[in-house]
Amino acid sequence: MRNTKYDHCPRVPEGALTVEMLCAGGGPVMLEIGPGRGMFALQWAEANPEARLIALEIRRKWATLLDERLRARHQGRARCFAEDANTVLPRLGPDGCVDFAAVHFPDPWWKKKHAKRLVVRDDFVHEMTRLLKPGATLLVQTDVEDRATEYFERLVAHPGLVAQGAPYVDESPFAPARSNREARAAIDGLPVYRMVFVKAAG
Ligand SMILES: C[S@@+](CC[C@H](N)C(=O)[O-])C[C@H]1O[C@@H](n2cnc3c(N)ncnc32)[C@H](O)[C@@H]1O
C-alpha cells in the first residue's frame, strides 16, 4: 500500500517558476540540491538572515520535515520542496537568479539501472550554470573519489564555470554551515572532495 503520510508535502507550482514564487522576502539566493535531513539549510539560513534559501529534496518525508522547520524559523524566506531537482531547474528563471549553490554528497545510487536518477549530469550542469549569477559560487562535494573525478570533469568542461581549486579545496566556502553527511565525515576522519566553481562573467 502506498504511504500517504507525506501527501501534504510542499510542492512547487506547475509551469514556469521564479524565486519569488518559491520563497518570501528579498536578498541573495542560496539553492541547495538534495539537503537530506537538512542541517546545512538550517545552519546557513540561520547565519544569513538577509538571504533566501530554496532547497529541492526528492524524498517527501525529509522535504516535509525540513520545510516545517525552515518555515517555523524563517517565515517563508527559506523553503524546502519535495521535488526532483532535474525537473525543477529547467523551469526556474530568470537566468542568473541564484547567488550561491550547494550540492552536498549527491547521488547515493550505484546500480546501472539507477543511472537516470543521477543528479550531477550534463543537463544538470547546464541548468545550474544558467541559473547562477556571474560571480556566484557553486560547491559540489562528495566522499566518493570516483564520483568526484567524474563531477569535476563534467563541471570544468562547462565554459560558464571557473574552477577555484586544483581540483579540490580544503574548506567549504559556506563553512561553518555543514551538511549532515559532511559533519559525519569530519567525525569519522573521512576525506571529502570539495569542488568550488565561480560563474564566469558575461
Ligand atoms: C547521500 S544524500 C546526502 C544528503 C545531504 N546533502 C547531506 O550531505 O547530508 C543525497 C540526497 O539527495 C537527494 N536526492 C537525490 N536525487 C535527487 C534529485 N534528483 N532531486 C532532489 N534531491 C535528490 C536524496 O534524497 C538525498 O537526500
Side-chain angles (χ1 to χ4, degrees):
M1 209 169 73
R2 201 174 75 81
N3 180 0
T4 56
K5 189 166 173 201
Y6 294 101
D7 275 359
H8 67 295
C9 61
R11 306 295 306 271
V12 302
E14 302 277 316
L17 299 166
T18 63
V19 166
E20 285 66 33
M21 291 165 75
L22 302 184
C23 60
V29 175
M30 162 66 81
L31 176 62
E32 184 184 2
I33 307 300
R37 293 172 197 273
M39 191 163 92
F40 174 82
L42 290 161
Q43 292 181 350
W44 195 88
E46 190 73 41
N48 295 279
E50 77 300 344
R52 296 172 281 178
L53 179 143
I54 298 166
L56 302 171
E57 167 55 56
I58 206 165
R59 290 185 64 172
R60 295 191 310 162
K61 175 180 174 181
W62 288 356
T64 304
L65 297 178
L66 176 57
D67 192 53
E68 280 170 6
R69 295 177 75 187
L70 289 170
R71 277 188 296 133
R73 294 178 192 192
H74 303 295
Q75 293 79 41
R77 75 172 176 84
R79 296 291 313 272
C80 180
F81 298 94
E83 298 287 353
D84 178 342
N86 281 314
T87 65
V88 170
L89 261 49
R91 292 161 50 203
L92 185 59
D95 296 358
C97 62
V98 169
D99 300 85
F100 312 100
V103 191
H104 308 287
F105 303 82
D107 298 332
W109 336 105
W110 300 106
K111 295 182 183 161
K112 262 198 177 149
K113 67 176 180 181
H114 291 148
K116 64 179 186 309
R117 292 166 77 171
L118 290 179
V119 175
V120 187
R121 315 181 304 211
D122 286 340
D123 52 345
F124 173 87
V125 173
H126 171 77
E127 293 299 339
M128 179 59 91
T129 307
R130 176 183 68 76
L131 289 170
L132 294 173
K133 191 176 285 177
T137 302
L138 165 67
L139 166 69
V140 178
Q141 58 178 344
T142 177
D143 52 0
V144 182
E145 191 172 6
D146 289 353
R147 282 273 158 89
T149 307
E150 199 181 303
Y151 296 158
F152 188 82
E153 283 171 4
R154 195 159 280 161
L155 291 158
V156 84
H158 196 292
L161 294 175
V162 181
Q164 304 297 293
Y168 308 122
V169 299
D170 291 336
E171 189 53 275
S172 161
F174 306 131
R178 281 183 168 180
S179 79
N180 298 77
R181 187 104 172 226
E182 188 178 6
R184 187 73 247 170
I187 290 166
D188 295 342
L190 292 176
V192 174
Y193 305 94
R194 294 188 174 89
M195 289 151 271
V196 177
F197 291 84
V198 166
K199 169 78 178 274

